[in-house]
Amino acid sequence: MKSGGFHLSTIDKVLSWARSSSLWYVTTGGGCCADEILAAMGPRYDLERFGCVQQIDPRQADLLIVTGLISYKAATHLRALYDQMPAPKYVMCLGSCATGGGPFAPEFSYGVVPGADRIVPVDIYVPGCPARPEAIMNGLITLQEKIRGHQRSHPQA
Amino acid sequence: MDTSDLIPRLEEAVPGAVLEVRPFGRGGEISVWVEAKSIQKVAQAIRKDVDFSFDWLENLSVMEVDKALVLTYFLRSQEKGHTLYLRVSIVPDSPEAPVEMLSVVKTWPMAKLPELEASDLFGIRFVGNPVPGSSSGRFILPRGWVGYPLRKSYVFPTEFLNIPHTRPTGHTEPDDYGVVT
């Protein structure tokens, strides 16, 4: 390069590989999807083999997993949780409630936010009510592929 | 001693307070409709009564019947094992307007939180509730919320904190349940 700049292509590849291989996550811990995360953490599914470790502190987390419904009172707290995380950060919406309000919003409840994407930018949605551990694993692997820049299961037309 | 024996004593202690005595549920218990403005005296009277001593407010529920708000106090005496249901009806000026009611916290301290809940969701201002700002603040709902959600006249908000309370538009075909959004 003439201006003395440099490319980061190889380093970027290494960095994204490293980031995708150690997705430490923090969860909001609401709803029944939180139990499914516990099941996914357990010995049968063992989320840790993908490099996913649960964190309590959002400042040490790369991934925010939103589970359960979000009320309008909790919306500001969810945003604060997201703002505390260091970049690069990713958000996963787990289950119907976090994705679109589930069976509550907006027709049947006045206080439930219809989807976490109204509050934080969402990278990946995992459907299910609640989502099974296999679905959570599939979502995590898809997110890893997204971070690495690959397309695993959806070839481009 | 049966709960119906309490009624003559109550009429003696607070004259004119008892409006009606009706059966409640299938268990043979009775509910006593009393005047809203004499609820504090009635509460004191049945709390101090030596044979009944209703000292435990299990629950405070509110329902909207026609234009009136009906409050039900679920009472129990821990020593004697009696059960009683006190009922009070208050009518707000308009379907959306808040309405005032006397607090029974001095008699039953456990009424504090149910009264706050009722004031939040039904717009009943409890005069005498010791929590600061209990006549105007929000406790369960976030600050800045408009309206009382469990009133029948309540209309769902279209947005709160700039978060729209609607589904994304663009669907023109009905979904599995026949709903078009």
Side-chain angles (χ1 to χ4, degrees):
Chain A
M1 270 189 165
K2 278 182 186 171
S3 58
F6 53 92
H7 285 296
L8 281 176
S9 63
T10 312
I11 292 185
D12 251 7
K13 218 175 253 181
V14 174
L15 275 181
S16 59
W17 167 79
R19 278 169 190 152
S20 68
S21 305
S22 67
L23 273 178
W24 291 7
Y25 60 89
V26 63
T27 74
T28 57
C32 2
C33 288
D35 293 347
E36 298 295 322
I37 284 192
L38 290 180
M41 283 162 62
R44 182 180 287 250
Y45 297 99
D46 195 14
L47 220 53
E48 217 163 309
R49 67 195 150 117
F50 304 112
C52 302
V53 187
Q54 189 169 28
Q55 292 295 310
I56 297 171
D57 192 355
R59 294 184 193 279
Q60 295 172 10
D62 313 299
L63 171 66
L64 172 66
I65 301 184
V66 185
T67 64
L69 68 85
I70 310 146
S71 65
Y72 280 104
K73 203 172 185 178
T76 48
H77 302 290
L78 178 62
R79 184 69 210 188
L81 195 66
Y82 177 78
D83 287 342
Q84 284 181 70
M85 290 166 59
K89 47 191 170 184
Y90 309 95
V91 178
M92 175 196 275
C93 260
L94 187 57
S96 304
C97 295
T99 306
F104 307 105
E107 288 91 356
F108 302 111
S109 179
Y110 51 88
V112 175
V113 178
D117 58 336
R118 313 292 172 100
I119 305 161
V120 290
V122 181
D123 290 287
I124 198 151
Y125 294 94
V126 177
C129 187
R132 282 194 57 80
E134 291 95 332
I136 299 172
M137 280 157 56
N138 186 33
L140 278 170
I141 294 167
T142 314
L143 180 62
Q144 285 176 341
E145 302 284 343
K146 194 177 168 183
I147 294 168
R148 287 175 197 152
H150 298 169
Q151 287 264 327
R152 183 172 58 103
S153 51
H154 303 288
Q156 286 175 347
Chain B
M1 187 162 273
D2 197 57
T3 322
S4 51
D5 298 332
L6 179 70
I7 310 301
R9 296 188 193 186
L10 197 54
E11 277 172 346
E12 193 182 318
V14 193
V18 179
L19 300 177
E20 202 177 359
V21 180
R22 305 197 69 176
F24 186 95
R26 298 177 188 168
E29 288 124 351
I30 55 169
S31 67
V32 183
W33 288 77
V34 296
E35 253 186 345
K37 61 183 179 185
S38 56
I39 181 71
Q40 283 178 336
K41 286 175 191 166
V42 170
Q44 277 295 333
I46 62 176
R47 170 81 201 248
K48 299 281 185 215
D49 194 290
V50 281
D51 290 323
F52 293 96
S53 70
F54 287 103
D55 53 355
W56 183 14
L57 180 72
E58 274 192 329
N59 189 16
L60 167 60
S61 80
V62 188
M63 59 183 172
E64 190 174 341
V65 182
D66 291 335
K67 287 178 181 174
L69 296 171
V70 177
L71 282 75
T72 312
Y73 296 82
F74 295 74
L75 300 169
R76 187 166 285 189
S77 62
Q78 295 188 73
E79 271 180 45
K80 322 282 179 190
H82 291 294
T83 314
L84 183 74
Y85 305 97
L86 274 189
R87 281 195 151 165
V88 172
S89 78
I90 40 178
V91 182
D93 294 334
S94 77
E96 297 87 16
V99 62
E100 281 200 350
M101 176 69 197
L102 293 170
S103 169
V104 291
V105 166
K106 275 188 182 163
T107 316
W108 299 300
M110 52 287 247
K112 202 190 288 175
L113 288 177
E115 281 183 356
L116 292 181
E117 194 176 350
S119 77
D120 228 7
L121 299 176
F122 278 97
I124 304 169
R125 307 269 190 249
F126 283 93
V127 181
N129 195 306
V131 176
S134 59
S135 57
S136 59
R138 288 292 193 188
F139 296 94
I140 299 165
L141 297 166
R143 277 182 199 163
W145 196 272
V146 179
Y148 308 110
L150 293 191
R151 292 267 186 104
K152 284 179 181 171
S153 63
Y154 183 71
V155 182
F156 278 20
T158 52
E159 60 121 38
F160 185 71
L161 298 175
N162 295 325
I163 304 168
H165 192 69
T166 48
R167 283 193 197 284
T169 52
H171 303 283
T172 49
E173 292 180 3
D175 62 7
D176 297 347
Y177 305 101
V179 178
V180 181
T181 49

